[in-house]
Structure formats: C-alpha cells, structure tokens
Amino acid sequence: MKKYIKSMAFFLIAIAVLLVIYFVIRGMRGVVGEDYVRGNLTAPAQRVYDYAGVLTASEEEKLEKLIAKREGQIGCDIVLVILNEPLSSYAKAYEDVLGHLSESEYVMVYADNFYDEYAFGYNKPHGDGCVFVDNWDRSDSAYGYAYNWLSTSGRVESRFSTSMIDHVVDEVNSRVNSDPYEAYKSYVNNIYSYMSGHGSPGRFVIPLYAVVIVSVLVAVFYLIGNLTKNIGARTTASNTYVNGGKPKMTVMTDHFISKSVTKRHIERSSGGGGGGGHHTSAGGHSHGGGGGHH
C-alpha cells in the first residue's frame, strides 16, 4: 500500500506543477500590452480612412476607439482604409520597380504605399503594425470582384503566417457586404487576438475550470484504478506449488522456426515559420500580407 501512496503523491505533485505553470502563463497573458510605450510620433493619429463613405460617423468613431484600445494592448498600429476607385493605373505606374502585377495585387501596392507614406508603426516609423485596404470598386476585375489586402510590417509581419492572414481577410469578406462595421471590427479584434496570443482565432483555449476538473478526475481515476489492481492482484503463480518454488527443466533445446523482418518508413514532418507574403514595397520597406475579394 505504501508503494501506491508514494506513486500517487508523485502524480499529484506533477499535476500541481502543471497547474502552477498554467497560472503563470495566464497571468503573463493577462498583462499583455501594459509595458508598451509608443515610440512613433510621426504617424498621424487617425486610424480609419473611409474614402468610400461605407461607414456612418458613429461607426467610424467606435472603430477609432476600439483600435486605440487594441493598439495599446499589443503595441502595434492598426489602420483601416476603405476605397471605391479603380487602382489599375495607379499600381501599373510601379511595375518598373515591382514587376508585373495581377489585378488582385493592385490594392497591395496601394496598401504598402499608404503605410509607408504615412510612416505608420507603433514603435517607430515603418515599424510594428498593419493596414487593411478594402476597395469596393469592381472595374479593375475581369470577374467583378472587389479586392482587399492586409499589409503587415515589423512584429506583425514576423508573427503572421499565411494561414493567419487568410483567416483575417476571410472573416472580413464573409460579412462585409451585409455588415461593413462588424466586418471591419472583426479585422481589428483578430489582429489583437493573434498578436496578444490571448484567445487567438482558431486556437483552442482551455478554461481554468476545465484544467482543475480534469486534473481532479485523472487523480481520482488513477487512485481507484491502482486500488482495484491491488485488490485483484494474483496470489498464486505457475510455480506456487512446485517444490522449492522453482521448476526443474530436465531438457533445454532451441529450435529455429523462421525469420521475419519488417521494415517501416518513419514519416518526418517539415515545419514552417511565420510571416506570410514577404515582399519589398516600392518604397523599399519590408512587408508581409495577403488579400482576398468579395
């Protein structure tokens, strides 16, 4: 019985250590953004540029307030630009620097240039931040699409993988035609979620109560299982009634029956790191990003 009590104590200590680690991580995440100090005084204070008149004045104001809150929490600029104008002529003027551009990349050129020219970046000009440009004009597209683009810079560029960028853009495009305000609000909140690591979209976050309940249940089942095993343990073995407790083998012979060799291929996964769509803008600054359409 002492053996089981000892092993049980070790198991409970291990659970306690895991819970402490969990609390520490949650505590660290809870203070994300408290130490961020804005280092860029060059960029304008405005964050929402609705040149298409898609949003109401009240909605613009609410988005500005939400962005100000999120920027302070993650230390990154979050900019939104809404257009309704053709960009083909504008973008093609930069093809001598950027090379051939497809129709879906016209808005990319505008987004990168907008970020660069206004020198956005929370920590410094052209630093940590992002801009989402949504162009409602459809004349540039042979398919009648309205294209948009998320351009990332600094820590946001380093943090965001292609799948993260796709998720942010897809979330906007899934609702922007019916409810632009909620769509652009999702852009702001998804940037915050991914950059803070606190409840990131697509990532399962285990609530505290679940950790405690699961830990207790595992401990209880472990204890019950070992006690049951102890009660039902065998009291006899194959040599219990053999004289001296050891069987005597009078003949010992090895017979070779057959040989079988099994070969298995061990799969190796190839890892991939963050930063979707790395490229250099016409202004010579590094950006990541990706786009979509609605």
Side-chain angles (χ1 to χ4, degrees):
M1 188 64 182
K2 290 183 178 180
K3 180 180 69 173
Y4 294 116
I5 295 176
K6 184 177 180 180
S7 61
M8 189 62 192
F10 175 80
F11 186 74
L12 291 174
I13 291 173
I15 291 178
V17 171
L18 291 175
L19 284 172
V20 170
I21 294 174
Y22 180 82
F23 289 140
V24 171
I25 292 175
R26 282 187 64 89
M28 291 174 64
R29 286 182 175 180
V31 298
V32 169
E34 290 188 1
D35 297 328
Y36 289 116
V37 177
R38 185 167 186 84
N40 180 9
L41 302 179
T42 303
Q46 185 177 352
R47 291 292 180 270
V48 180
Y49 299 82
D50 183 11
Y51 299 125
V54 173
L55 301 170
T56 66
S58 175
E59 289 171 339
E60 283 190 47
E61 183 179 355
K62 286 189 289 186
L63 280 175
E64 287 279 3
K65 289 181 179 179
L66 176 62
I67 290 173
K69 175 183 177 181
R70 295 310 191 199
E71 286 184 347
Q73 292 172 319
I74 63 175
C76 299
D77 281 354
I78 305 174
V79 185
L80 171 65
V81 181
I82 309 170
L83 304 173
N84 191 3
E85 60 185 83
L87 294 177
S88 57
S89 297
Y90 170 86
K92 286 182 179 296
Y94 293 93
E95 284 192 329
D96 58 333
V97 177
L98 301 174
H100 175 71
L101 298 166
S102 64
E103 64 179 39
S104 63
E105 294 176 316
Y106 297 160
V107 67
M108 174 197 74
V109 178
Y110 186 97
D112 291 346
N113 288 349
F114 193 91
Y115 196 91
D116 292 351
E117 291 169 7
Y118 281 94
F120 287 108
Y122 195 92
N123 58 327
K124 63 180 180 179
H126 313 117
D128 302 337
C130 60
V131 56
F132 184 82
V133 178
D134 190 19
N135 187 15
W136 286 69
D137 178 82
R138 300 175 185 274
S139 62
D140 285 336
S141 173
Y143 307 98
Y145 294 148
Y147 289 109
N148 42 40
W149 190 272
L150 172 62
S151 177
T152 58
S153 181
R155 285 195 299 113
V156 184
E157 179 184 0
S158 300
R159 174 75 178 94
F160 268 66
S161 64
T162 299
S163 61
M164 293 176 181
I165 292 170
D166 289 344
H167 179 263
V168 174
V169 175
D170 290 345
E171 281 287 296
V172 173
N173 289 329
S174 67
R175 67 186 81 179
V176 71
N177 290 325
S178 59
D179 194 340
Y181 170 72
E182 286 298 325
Y184 300 138
K185 182 180 175 181
S186 76
Y187 151 62
V188 177
N189 285 328
N190 282 332
I191 294 296
Y192 158 75
S193 295
Y194 276 128
M195 289 305 298
S196 67
H198 190 73
S200 296
R203 180 183 299 174
F204 179 69
V205 180
I206 303 175
L208 174 60
Y209 68 85
V211 175
V212 176
I213 292 174
V214 170
S215 299
V216 173
L217 288 176
V218 170
V220 170
F221 283 124
Y222 181 85
L223 179 60
I224 294 174
N226 277 279
L227 288 176
T228 304
K229 182 179 179 181
N230 185 39
I231 293 172
R234 286 186 176 183
T235 58
T236 62
S238 60
N239 60 352
T240 301
Y241 302 107
V242 177
N243 187 27
K246 295 181 181 180
K248 183 178 180 181
M249 307 298 292
T250 56
V251 180
M252 298 181 67
T253 307
D254 291 331
H255 296 279
F256 180 79
I257 304 300
S258 64
K259 178 180 180 181
S260 176
V261 178
T262 302
K263 294 183 179 180
R264 293 182 180 177
H265 175 65
I266 300 176
E267 297 291 343
R268 299 182 183 274
S269 60
S270 55
H278 289 302
H279 60 276
T280 302
S281 67
H285 299 283
S286 177
H287 290 277
H293 58 76
H294 58 90

